[in-house]
Amino acid sequence: ETGVTQSPTHLIKTRGQQVTLRCSSQSGHNTVSWYQQALGQGPQFIFQYYREEENGRGNFPPRFSGLQFPNYSSELNVNALELDDSALYLCASSLEAAGGSADTQYFGPGTRLTVL
Amino acid sequence: AQRVTQPEKLLSVFKGAPVELKCNYSYSGSPELFWYVQYSRQRLQLLLRHISRESIKGFTADLNKGETSFHLKKPFAQEEDSAMYYCALYNFNKFYFGSGTKLNVKP
């Protein structure tokens, strides 16, 4: 059983650019969640995908979007980057039924995004 | 709106002392509550969840609906317990994490 992986590890972008972050879920997990973690803060929930459909979203603008693929990988896309988007982005996979209880989330190591 | 509050940013205790990490939440229904832990240079991982009512690494947490609290407790802290601890609430396919408490167990 392989763990959750994320790529790239670090990324530097400039304001206004677009970025795509990638996550490979644990095998068999049908749910992936993405989080933004600013320095000194707890993870802030961006959205959750279940079987390739977004089924939960936090308080983030539409320029944050995602995709989940049948092979358990997923992407977080952020358009029109702002300085405040600089943070650690975490993905977490779990095995969960739609609308059901939360199962254990397995977190990736994160991608550190710096926006200049 | 749902909210999870961890009032202490840093908690320092001596080895063998009891430890309590506080977590308060605002939610009117029946929440699902969790404690996640991040050891140095490791990933965030689940420590325990209230519905399983289990004890992990000697830690327990009781859901108190009247006080809307889910404090994490351990009777005798160990140095290896030093880590960042996050309380989290799950509701309608959304997670809400607190800002975390850093536990430092001194020898």
Side-chain angles (χ1 to χ4, degrees):
Chain A
E1 184 177 276
T2 57
V4 178
T5 60
Q6 291 186 245
S7 62
T9 306
H10 298 90
L11 199 54
I12 299 175
K13 291 285 189 178
T14 56
R15 194 170 49 182
Q17 284 189 312
Q18 178 266 343
V19 69
T20 297
L21 310 182
R22 293 180 173 83
C23 172
S24 181
S25 297
Q26 199 155 304
S27 180
H29 283 184
N30 55 15
T31 303
V32 65
S33 300
W34 282 90
Y35 296 86
Q36 180 193 69
Q37 187 173 22
L39 205 59
Q41 300 296 317
Q44 297 297 306
F45 178 78
I46 302 174
F47 44 57
Q48 176 174 279
Y49 276 77
Y50 167 71
R51 291 185 177 178
E52 304 169 45
E53 296 286 335
E54 183 183 299
N55 74 340
R57 190 176 184 94
N59 190 26
F60 280 82
R63 61 190 184 85
F64 286 79
S65 63
L67 286 171
Q68 186 185 24
F69 303 102
N71 66 350
Y72 311 120
S73 67
S74 62
E75 292 181 352
L76 165 65
N77 298 289
V78 187
N79 293 322
L81 283 167
E82 301 177 0
L83 298 179
D84 285 348
D85 295 334
S86 294
L88 181 69
Y89 288 84
L90 298 167
C91 75
S93 73
S94 60
L95 186 61
E96 177 180 345
S101 301
D103 202 352
T104 301
Q105 291 190 99
Y106 293 87
F107 281 83
T111 293
R112 174 73 62 188
L113 173 65
T114 302
V115 182
L116 302 175
Chain B
Q2 288 87 352
R3 185 185 301 173
V4 176
T5 304
Q6 294 179 252
E8 303 137 329
K9 279 194 173 296
L10 174 65
L11 184 63
S12 288
V13 300
F14 285 101
K15 176 183 173 182
V19 62
E20 180 180 69
L21 290 86
K22 291 183 168 54
C23 172
N24 289 91
Y25 65 91
S26 59
Y27 177 64
S28 57
S30 295
E32 289 188 63
L33 286 155
F34 307 80
W35 277 97
Y36 278 83
V37 61
Q38 188 166 26
Y39 301 102
S40 180
R41 298 188 186 86
Q42 293 189 28
R43 306 177 183 196
L44 201 57
Q45 58 185 287
L46 179 68
L47 179 62
L48 56 80
R49 51 193 303 177
H50 89 275
I51 61 172
S52 60
R53 302 183 66 82
E54 56 190 343
S55 172
I56 305 295
K57 298 185 179 182
F59 284 98
T60 59
D62 290 321
L63 177 60
N64 186 325
K65 291 186 179 181
E67 295 182 358
T68 60
S69 68
F70 188 56
H71 303 328
L72 184 67
K73 301 177 183 179
K74 185 170 183 177
F76 308 103
Q78 303 299 315
E79 289 181 69
E80 54 265 30
D81 296 329
S82 294
M84 196 74 187
Y85 291 80
Y86 294 96
C87 181
L89 181 154
Y90 180 78
N91 175 49
F92 293 118
N93 302 334
K94 298 180 186 179
F95 272 95
Y96 303 87
F97 276 75
S99 56
T101 297
K102 184 173 182 179
L103 175 64
N104 180 32
V105 181
K106 298 176 282 189

